[in-house]
Amino acid sequence: SYVLTQPPSVSVAPGQTARITCGGNNIGSKSVHWYQQKPGQAPVLVVYDDSDRPSGIPERFSGSNSGNTATLTISRVEAGDEADYYCQVWGSSSDHSGVVFGGGTKLTVL
Amino acid sequence: QVQLVESGGGVVQPGRSLRLSCAASGFTFSSYGMHWVRQAPGKGLEWMAVISYDGSNKYYADSVKGRFTISRDNSNNTLYLQMNSLRAEDTAVYHCARSMWGSKWLPCHSWGQGTLVTVSS
C-alpha cells in the first residue's frame, strides 16, 4: 500500500516561514491535499489539489508537489497556526487502496 | 451551511458490534461522496471508508475490510458505518466527512465533530 511520510514536528518563530513536507513514491503524479487540525477540533482543509486554497483560507497557506515530495508552506506564521497538519492522497487507482493520510506534523510556533 | 453530526458512539465490549450514523444537512446529500475517518487517542488521522453519491461504489482501508460496512440512506440524508467484531485498537473518535465535489473522492471538504467509540471489556 502507498505510504506518506511526514516529519513528526516542525518549529518556527512568529513571522517566519514554515515548510512541512510529505514524501511518497512519485507523489508528484498525485493530487495532494492538506488539513489543519487543532486540539479537540475537526480537521480543516487548507490546501487541495497540490496548491489550491478553499475559500476562507489565508493566502499565507500554499502548496507545491513535485517528484517524491509535496510541501505545505505557511508564510508569516502566526500563533494561531500552531496545529497538526496532515497530507492526504488517493493511494492507487490500480488496486483500489483508497485514501492515505500522512502521519501528521505538529507545527510549533516558538 | 454544511452540517455533519455523528452519533452512535459509546463503550462496547470486544467482539461486539456498533452502528454509527452521520446526519447531513445544508447541502444535497445525494450528490456527494462521503467518508469515515477515525483518530485514536493521541494519534493521527486514519481513513476508514468512502461511498459514492449513490452508494454504488465503496472502498475500505485494509484494517477494517470485512469487518466494517459503509452505507447511506439518501432519502434520510444519513451516512452509516456498521462496525462488527470490534477490537481494542478500534477505539477512536470517528468523523464523517463530505467530498468537496460530487465527481471526485477527494478532498474531504467538510467534517463532523466526531463520535467516540471505546472498545473495552
Side-chain angles (χ1 to χ4, degrees):
Chain A
S1 61
Y2 195 78
V3 176
L4 294 175
T5 301
Q6 296 182 237
S9 63
V10 167
S11 298
V12 64
Q16 299 303 303
T17 297
R19 294 179 179 85
I20 299 172
T21 59
C22 176
N25 184 33
N26 196 26
I27 195 174
S29 67
K30 300 180 181 295
S31 291
V32 180
H33 318 290
W34 291 91
Y35 300 86
Q36 176 194 69
Q37 187 182 32
K38 297 181 179 179
Q41 298 184 18
V44 173
L45 179 68
V46 293
V47 167
Y48 67 95
D49 288 351
D50 299 339
S51 59
D52 290 333
R53 276 185 317 276
S55 60
I57 300 301
E59 291 183 6
R60 301 185 297 105
F61 288 81
S62 62
S64 62
N65 184 20
S66 178
N68 293 319
T69 305
T71 303
L72 173 69
T73 300
I74 309 171
S75 304
R76 302 180 300 282
V77 166
E78 303 174 355
D81 298 331
E82 188 163 283
D84 294 325
Y85 291 85
Y86 296 89
C87 56
Q88 178 199 52
V89 300
W90 184 268
S92 171
S93 57
S94 59
D95 63 7
H96 303 299
S97 55
V99 177
V100 180
F101 280 103
T105 298
K106 181 175 180 57
L107 176 66
T108 298
V109 181
L110 301 171
Chain B
Q1 179 184 350
V2 174
Q3 208 167 18
L4 299 169
V5 179
E6 302 91 341
S7 62
V11 179
V12 60
Q13 293 179 327
R16 302 297 290 265
S17 299
L18 204 62
R19 188 177 82 159
L20 305 183
S21 300
C22 169
S25 61
F27 65 100
T28 304
F29 181 70
S30 59
S31 296
Y32 293 89
M34 296 292 296
H35 298 257
W36 284 102
V37 176
R38 72 183 180 186
Q39 188 168 32
K43 302 297 185 181
L45 301 175
E46 182 185 14
W47 174 79
M48 294 287 92
V50 64
I51 186 169
S52 59
Y53 67 98
D54 62 354
S56 62
N57 289 293
K58 306 173 186 179
Y59 298 104
Y60 297 91
D62 288 343
S63 59
V64 301
K65 204 172 293 183
R67 296 192 300 127
F68 290 10
T69 302
I70 190 171
S71 62
R72 64 191 298 160
D73 181 349
N74 284 345
S75 62
N76 286 309
N77 295 339
T78 304
L79 175 73
Y80 300 102
L81 185 68
Q82 177 67 42
M83 305 185 295
N84 298 331
S85 303
L86 283 162
R87 307 165 180 167
E89 54 264 36
D90 295 319
T91 294
V93 173
Y94 286 73
H95 297 273
C96 62
R98 195 204 84 178
S99 298
M100 190 169 189
W101 296 290
S103 57
K104 294 183 179 181
W105 297 118
L106 295 178
C108 301
H109 179 266
S110 306
W111 296 68
Q113 287 300 314
T115 186
L116 176 61
V117 173
T118 303
V119 183
S120 173
S121 55

